[in-house]
Amino acid sequence: MKRKFSFMFVMLTFLCVIPFLHGCSELVLFNPKGPIGESEKYIILVAFALMLAVVIPVIVMSIWFPLKYKETNTKAPYDPNWSYSKKIEIVMWLVPFVIVLILSTILWRETHRLDPYKPIASEAKPLNVEVVSLDWKWLFIYPEQNIAVVNQFVFPEKIPLSFKITSDTVMTSFFIPQLGSQIYAMAGMQTHLHLMADEQGDYTGQNQQFSGAGFPDMSFKAKATSQEKFDSWVQQVRQSPNKLDFARFDELRKPGVSGSVIFFSSIEPGLFEHIVNKYDPMTRGSYGTGETAHPAHGK
């Protein structure tokens, strides 16, 4: 009877876990496409396994103890004066200590190794990209190609990506889940991020920080292509009649969701630095019309 119950319990647990395991294959965090994402997946799985080392025994004991020590089970030991067990005391303190020790060691090592400001080691020259968070759209500036694009980020596979990120609105969060780390974009500040895609594909980029009414639509497509297709795409952008000067940028930064991708065949030199510096009290007023208030937030 006991063996039959144990077998039924194991089978029921297995059937309950199957739907969750099937769903994992569709979770982007468990389907990384770059070295940073792969390392972060490893950390998540290790942490998950260590947590199961506590959760599974607790679940089993919560079922096994009531059944074994129920009133009708006269075969179970009865010790109403019991108050202390050295073995239980050791397990209660030793297991959490070992888990915390292992987790803290792995996290300390990996957080230093995966520092978002740390360039990715590669023989290939990095692609420099300047990212500006707006209400409610993303502006990608390619300074070396002298082009810019709204809500689309195209890049070659197996090439390190070096991002400089800022915001011309409230604080947002730049994140391409399948490539790895997210990092905040803040007005008047510049953050850095390094990513890379190991294979071609379309990945979703998004803002992870609530930033107002248009927040649900503040996403973009990150498209990894071959070097030849990327060069061809750059030439396509350069055919656009749009030019991103200060006046055009002031129009672009007004609150609103961009319904389509916008190409700019040229950019104002130093535009990114102007966006960062205009929130600096030492340089405020030197940009464009001198207006620093953002219409979306009434400042």
Side-chain angles (χ1 to χ4, degrees):
M1 182 66 183
K2 186 177 180 180
R3 289 184 177 180
K4 184 177 179 181
F5 172 77
S6 300
F7 176 76
M8 291 177 61
F9 175 75
V10 171
M11 291 302 298
L12 181 61
T13 304
F14 180 71
L15 291 174
C16 293
V17 168
I18 286 178
F20 295 99
L21 295 177
H22 175 72
C24 288
S25 63
E26 299 178 359
L27 292 175
V28 291
L29 288 177
F30 291 97
N31 187 24
K33 301 298 181 184
I36 305 299
E38 284 285 354
S39 297
E40 292 176 348
K41 173 187 173 182
Y42 162 76
I43 296 172
I44 293 173
L45 291 179
V46 169
F48 184 69
L50 289 173
M51 293 301 106
L52 287 181
V54 175
V55 172
I56 290 179
V58 169
I59 293 176
V60 171
M61 286 187 291
S62 66
I63 298 174
W64 182 55
F65 281 2
L67 290 175
K68 182 175 181 179
Y69 296 103
K70 61 185 178 181
E71 185 178 7
T72 55
N73 184 11
T74 57
K75 295 181 180 179
Y78 177 67
D79 189 1
N81 297 319
W82 178 88
S83 61
Y84 177 76
S85 170
K86 188 176 181 180
K87 293 180 180 178
I88 294 177
E89 196 75 14
I90 292 175
V91 171
M92 286 178 61
W93 287 101
L94 184 61
V95 172
F97 176 78
V98 171
I99 290 176
V100 171
L101 180 64
I102 295 174
L103 268 181
S104 57
T105 302
I106 293 175
L107 290 178
W108 184 88
R109 184 190 66 189
E110 293 299 301
T111 49
H112 283 79
R113 188 174 71 84
L114 299 175
D115 182 352
Y117 281 53
K118 187 177 180 181
I120 296 175
S122 173
E123 295 181 355
K125 181 185 176 184
L127 174 66
N128 295 310
V129 183
E130 297 167 343
V131 184
V132 183
S133 169
L134 303 169
D135 279 329
W136 290 273
K137 57 189 85 69
W138 292 96
L139 172 65
F140 297 94
I141 300 173
Y142 296 72
E144 294 166 358
Q145 288 74 23
N146 195 39
I147 60 173
V149 183
V150 171
N151 282 350
Q152 186 184 68
F153 173 51
V154 180
F155 59 99
E157 62 171 333
K158 299 178 181 176
I159 296 293
L161 306 172
S162 177
F163 295 98
K164 293 197 296 185
I165 303 170
T166 191
S167 172
D168 198 13
T169 177
V170 295
M171 184 173 75
T172 61
S173 175
F174 180 80
F175 190 30
I176 306 175
Q178 284 185 278
L179 298 189
S181 307
Q182 69 87 29
I183 198 161
Y184 290 107
M186 294 168 280
M189 296 185 69
Q190 181 184 145
T191 50
H192 297 266
L193 180 64
H194 294 85
L195 299 174
M196 187 167 72
D198 285 335
E199 60 183 78
Q200 298 181 32
D202 292 342
Y203 314 121
T204 300
Q206 54 197 213
N207 169 24
Q208 290 282 307
Q209 180 81 18
F210 179 70
S211 58
F215 164 75
D217 297 312
M218 193 174 174
S219 59
F220 62 91
K221 179 182 290 186
K223 187 177 182 63
T225 68
S226 63
Q227 183 65 53
E228 293 75 18
K229 290 182 179 179
F230 174 72
D231 294 337
S232 175
W233 176 80
V234 170
Q235 294 304 320
Q236 178 189 353
V237 176
R238 286 173 175 164
Q239 301 303 315
S240 170
N242 301 319
K243 300 183 185 302
L244 187 58
D245 52 19
F246 289 146
R248 183 68 178 89
F249 179 73
D250 280 338
E251 291 294 321
L252 188 66
R253 66 191 288 267
K254 292 179 180 176
V257 176
S258 178
S260 59
V261 175
I262 305 174
F263 291 163
F264 295 98
S265 57
S266 66
I267 55 175
E268 187 78 32
L271 176 62
F272 183 82
E273 287 72 21
H274 278 294
I275 296 170
V276 175
N277 292 335
K278 70 179 181 178
Y279 291 97
D280 186 338
M282 300 299 293
T283 58
R284 185 175 296 170
S286 61
Y287 164 73
T289 61
E291 179 187 3
T292 58
H294 198 282
H297 309 288
K299 295 180 180 178

